[in-house]
Amino acid sequence: MVMFSYSTDPPADARADLLVLPVLEGPEAGPGIREVKGADLLSLYTDAKLRGKRGEHLLIPDTGALGVRAGAVLLVGVGPRSSIDADALRRAIGKVAPQLAKRGSVVTTFPQAARRSHGEAVQATVEGILLGSYRFSRYKSGLDGPVETDALASVTLLGPSRWDSRAMKAAVRRAEVVSDAVAWARDLVNTPAIDCTPDRLAREAQAMAEETGLECTVWGEAELKEGGFGGILGVGAGSVNPPRMIELVYRGGGKTQAPIALTGKGISFDSGGLSIKTTEGMEWMKGDMGGAASILGAMKAIARLKPKVNVVAAIPSAENMPSGSAIRPGDVLHHRGGKTSEVMNTDAEGRLVLADSLAYLTEQQPRVIIDTATLTGACMVALGDELFGVMGNDRSLIRDLLAASEAAGEPAWELPLWPTYRRMLDSEVADFKNVGKRYGGAITAGLFLSQFVGDTPWVHLDIAGPAFAEKAQDYCPKGGTGVPVRTLVGYVLTQAGAGTSRR
Ligand code: BES
Ligand code: ZN
Ligand code: MN
């Protein structure tokens, strides 16, 4: 556990093992650099042939002559002055976070490098450090060499005395809560499917709910049958690990206030079912519950930050396996609410489980519904692996989610729910087929989901690309990323009027 604090001490006076100072591209001195009088830090940085590009860093291990109280100084590039916002700081400090993790105590002027939105800069700096030092070592035995552990115990963020200390402390706390939620979502995604069955996922959710005070109901097979959840049961029918639906309720608003409704695809493993995938296609499919993990993470953060809104989540979870009891191409499933779908491809399973949870949430007359899902490879073809796709039936909700994604530094782009493509889902025997043609696959998947929300304002986030990092990123090692936990939490806080203060 790292303790974060906020202080207005001058950087040269701060006692710590490591003083971290930002350098702007040029290089130009960032805040605190000129206050170190014993040496020209910027020349040392330039002599090392560094220019201040994001993450370019120089460690000065011996501070004897520098006139600072810290044991060492780390200079870190944050990129060009014109592009320094909270996200640039999160990415720059995230890149060096594994090195900070080896020190006992760290102090930094990082947030002062952003000229506006000080609260956001403080929050982003803390998030960069916490998210960038995340590791998933649960399955390392230690027999194959030492398992890396963190030494970092305290981080002090330095700001000028004109900043509102209370607001900055609130920003630190927000970052801690959000980063903990992201780390949990990453853990769930990284946990192999053998240890993360639908039932285990439900137990994790129950334990979280108990700890945070959320209401939690787990729907087992009998309840799902009783409730008419044919999509969830159908997808789970081929597995020995039975399906579940996890319902979580957070009450922070008035009794009569309509809730924000959330759902996320929780396929604990996607083999494709009888429409089986290739070996390569299955490599990361333990991560096909990334949508569910992001909703669980968001609910955990919401429960701890206590915004003044009501939020309900219904998360469908099943394992998509081929077997004698699996659903077959041509089978017809009866969804919650009565609509039917003809399963032409058992690998298009995410939409089948979400159809049920979307229909169920719509019954509760929420103000909006947001779903997040590792839904289509087609979305990755369209947008690559950094952006998630945004589709929906309500312009202002789409705009709100795009704004939340930008503020969180989790980039997204809108795709159209083009109405004439709906024809591709026409079925001879049921209300619709579960797949369209090859082209426009992300859109036809979105159109399929849209059939289950009626007139409720709804937005769908296709996170197939960014849910899982195939190579390490600025503040995320290879594996589950926790996207879009921060977008969801940001959206909910903004709706509650408790968003990050702008100044
Ligand atoms: N879980 C996959 C989508 C996916 C693929 C996510 C790669 C992340 C990385 C989904 O269930 C799936 O198999 N989709 C099919 C749909 C097709 C059968 C219409 C796909 O994208 O190929
Ligand atoms: Zn899937
Ligand atoms: Mn699939």
Side-chain angles (χ1 to χ4, degrees):
M1 263 297 277
V2 189
M3 282 288 299
F4 285 85
S5 54
Y6 177 77
S7 147
T8 53
D9 286 349
D13 290 354
R15 276 180 209 281
D17 296 327
L18 185 68
L19 171 61
V20 182
L21 300 173
V23 181
L24 285 61
E25 193 166 324
E28 274 182 65
I33 289 193
R34 294 254 153 75
E35 289 166 58
V36 177
K37 303 288 187 209
D40 183 353
L41 294 180
L42 206 57
S43 309
L44 294 176
Y45 191 78
T46 315
D47 291 348
K49 304 235 172 335
L50 303 176
R51 298 195 36 226
K53 286 197 180 357
R54 185 204 293 159
E56 278 186 352
H57 56 275
L58 178 70
L59 178 70
I60 303 158
D62 182 5
T63 53
L66 297 187
V68 300
R69 288 187 164 160
V73 175
L74 184 69
L75 303 174
V76 183
V78 292
R81 181 183 287 279
S82 59
S83 69
I84 299 175
D85 54 8
D87 194 49
L89 298 181
R90 189 188 293 110
R91 289 177 189 279
I93 204 147
K95 269 177 180 285
V96 298
Q99 301 179 46
L100 308 196
K102 293 178 192 144
R103 309 276 170 162
S105 58
V106 168
V107 35
T108 182
T109 60
F110 238 71
Q112 298 180 46
R115 271 178 301 177
R116 309 182 310 115
S117 315
H118 308 312
E120 284 174 25
V122 166
Q123 183 173 345
T125 301
V126 175
E127 287 173 356
I129 294 170
L130 287 172
L131 297 178
S133 51
Y134 170 87
R135 273 188 298 264
F136 185 70
S137 47
R138 193 183 302 165
Y139 292 86
K140 294 282 188 188
S141 67
L143 295 174
D144 188 35
V147 178
E148 267 189 77
T149 50
D150 289 352
L152 192 58
S154 80
V155 175
T156 308
L157 301 147
L158 302 178
S161 50
R162 68 194 145 80
W163 290 5
D164 174 356
S165 288
R166 264 191 53 195
M168 298 308 132
K169 284 173 184 165
V172 168
R173 150 116 172 120
R174 236 177 358 250
E176 289 177 311
V177 168
V178 167
S179 301
D180 166 76
V182 170
W184 185 47
R186 287 179 180 178
D187 282 348
L188 293 173
V189 169
N190 289 334
T191 301
I194 191 172
D195 291 332
C196 190
T197 60
D199 186 58
R200 292 281 285 274
L201 196 64
R203 285 171 198 272
E204 284 276 338
Q206 273 171 324
M208 179 277 282
E210 226 151 273
E211 182 192 320
T212 58
L214 291 174
E215 289 167 37
C216 180
T217 315
V218 175
W219 298 57
E221 274 182 301
E223 291 90 10
L224 290 170
K225 205 166 282 174
E226 177 81 14
F229 291 80
I232 301 174
L233 289 165
V235 172
S239 173
V240 294
N241 299 306
R244 297 283 184 266
M245 188 171 78
I246 304 159
E247 188 171 0
L248 293 163
V249 181
Y250 166 74
R251 294 178 210 277
K255 276 211 172 62
T256 57
Q257 192 191 82
I260 293 170
L262 305 175
T263 183
K265 172 176 172 181
I267 299 299
S268 61
F269 185 75
D270 182 12
S271 70
L274 287 176
S275 313
I276 199 162
K277 290 180 183 293
T278 61
T279 305
E280 261 166 44
M282 277 183 225
E283 221 174 294
W284 300 118
M285 283 302 130
K286 68 172 183 181
D288 211 21
M289 29 58 73
S294 72
I295 300 300
L296 290 173
M299 289 303 285
K300 184 178 188 192
I302 290 162
R304 293 178 63 196
L305 294 173
K306 306 205 185 311
K308 291 192 169 65
V309 280
N310 294 328
V311 187
V312 54
I315 301 165
S317 182
E319 186 177 44
N320 188 22
M321 295 292 262
S323 79
S325 59
I327 51 166
R328 317 142 189 84
D331 282 357
V332 173
L333 301 180
H334 295 257
H335 293 284
R336 173 81 177 192
K339 289 187 175 160
T340 56
S341 59
E342 187 184 10
V343 181
M344 300 311 287
N345 186 325
T346 64
D347 198 10
E349 83 295 342
R351 63 199 77 182
L352 297 173
V353 300
L354 286 170
D356 286 356
S357 61
L358 288 169
Y360 174 70
L361 287 169
T362 301
E363 294 163 17
Q364 307 194 14
Q365 297 180 301
R367 54 204 260 195
V368 300
I369 304 183
I370 305 169
D371 81 70
T372 121
T374 49
L375 204 63
T376 66
C379 195
M380 299 175 74
V381 173
L383 298 177
D385 60 6
E386 287 183 19
L387 290 84
F388 60 86
V390 178
M391 287 152 262
N393 62 8
D394 186 276
R395 288 254 40 98
S396 87
L397 178 59
I398 292 170
R399 237 181 288 123
D400 287 348
L401 260 297
L402 289 170
S405 117
E406 182 165 354
E410 294 180 327
W413 208 259
E414 185 182 355
L415 297 175
L417 277 184
W418 198 253
T420 56
Y421 292 178
R422 162 68 179 78
R423 269 187 276 121
M424 288 194 247
L425 300 174
D426 286 348
S427 161
E428 301 295 311
V429 299
D431 295 339
F432 7 80
K433 299 190 294 190
N434 75 331
V435 285
K437 303 221 173 64
R438 179 156 156 252
Y439 295 135
I443 294 170
T444 46
L447 284 165
F448 182 92
L449 299 180
S450 74
Q451 308 302 306
F452 295 89
V453 296
D455 298 332
T456 311
W458 153 81
V459 68
H460 158 59
L461 313 181
D462 191 331
I463 59 167
F468 208 94
E470 295 210 29
K471 58 181 196 329
Q473 292 169 0
D474 290 337
Y475 50 84
C476 187
K478 204 166 156 170
T481 60
V483 172
V485 168
R486 292 184 298 110
T487 298
L488 293 168
V489 174
Y491 170 80
V492 169
L493 292 184
T494 304
Q495 289 304 303
T500 309
S501 66
R502 292 272 142 192
R503 250 156 227 271

